[in-house]
Amino acid sequence: MFNAPTLYDRIGGEIGLEKMVDGLYERVLADPMLAPFFKDTPMDKQRRMQREFMAVALGAAAHHSDTSLAWAHAERGITFEHFNRFCQHMSESLKAMNIDDATVHEVLQHMALYKNAIIGESY
């Protein structure tokens, strides 16, 4: 039986995900609206955690930390506008990797599933 490639596979697997996350945080840290959220964040750890999360969210057979997404983002003041801007940077990072528009759209749809947990509307 043929298994269709996951979104994780379609963006280039581990190497593609690493490129996407690096490009994402390059954009996020240059964004005056989002950079303050990461002021005191160890970015090596942040990038690693983001790769782990995204691998699971995009269908890899990986497991990310047991830290609740809602708990990790609680009381940080993240709004829908922040979430949307973060996703715009993710889209730009994927497009810079020559990922096709349909796949970019699917990735963003998967990220939207986590919006409530990230902006604090899930608890």
Side-chain angles (χ1 to χ4, degrees):
M1 176 167 239
F2 176 73
N3 289 327
T6 65
L7 278 173
Y8 176 80
D9 296 328
R10 290 165 46 204
I11 67 164
E14 184 178 345
I15 293 169
L17 185 61
E18 187 170 338
K19 281 177 148 180
M20 189 275 294
V21 169
D22 286 346
L24 169 64
Y25 281 109
E26 183 178 308
R27 288 167 173 77
V28 165
L29 294 174
D31 185 325
M33 177 191 248
L34 299 178
F37 287 105
F38 300 95
K39 180 180 173 229
D40 296 319
T41 302
M43 290 310 296
D44 286 343
K45 179 180 178 185
Q46 179 66 26
R47 283 181 173 91
R48 179 182 50 78
M49 290 173 58
Q50 186 68 254
R51 285 191 307 269
E52 289 175 9
F53 166 71
M54 292 292 296
V56 172
L58 299 180
H63 174 73
H64 71 97
S65 77
D66 292 330
T67 302
S68 159
L69 202 56
W71 182 86
H73 294 89
E75 300 181 21
R76 301 215 48 215
I78 300 170
T79 65
F80 175 76
E81 289 76 22
H82 297 122
F83 179 82
N84 190 44
R85 180 79 70 100
F86 189 88
C87 288
Q88 287 172 348
H89 290 307
M90 186 178 297
S91 174
E92 292 166 5
S93 297
L94 289 164
K95 288 178 181 181
M97 297 167 50
N98 296 315
I99 302 298
D100 65 274
D101 288 341
T103 300
V104 171
H105 183 71
E106 281 186 67
V107 169
L108 296 176
Q109 284 180 312
H110 277 259
M111 297 295 61
L113 298 173
Y114 301 96
K115 175 186 68 83
N116 289 345
I118 292 169
I119 67 173
E121 292 184 358
S122 64
Y123 53 92

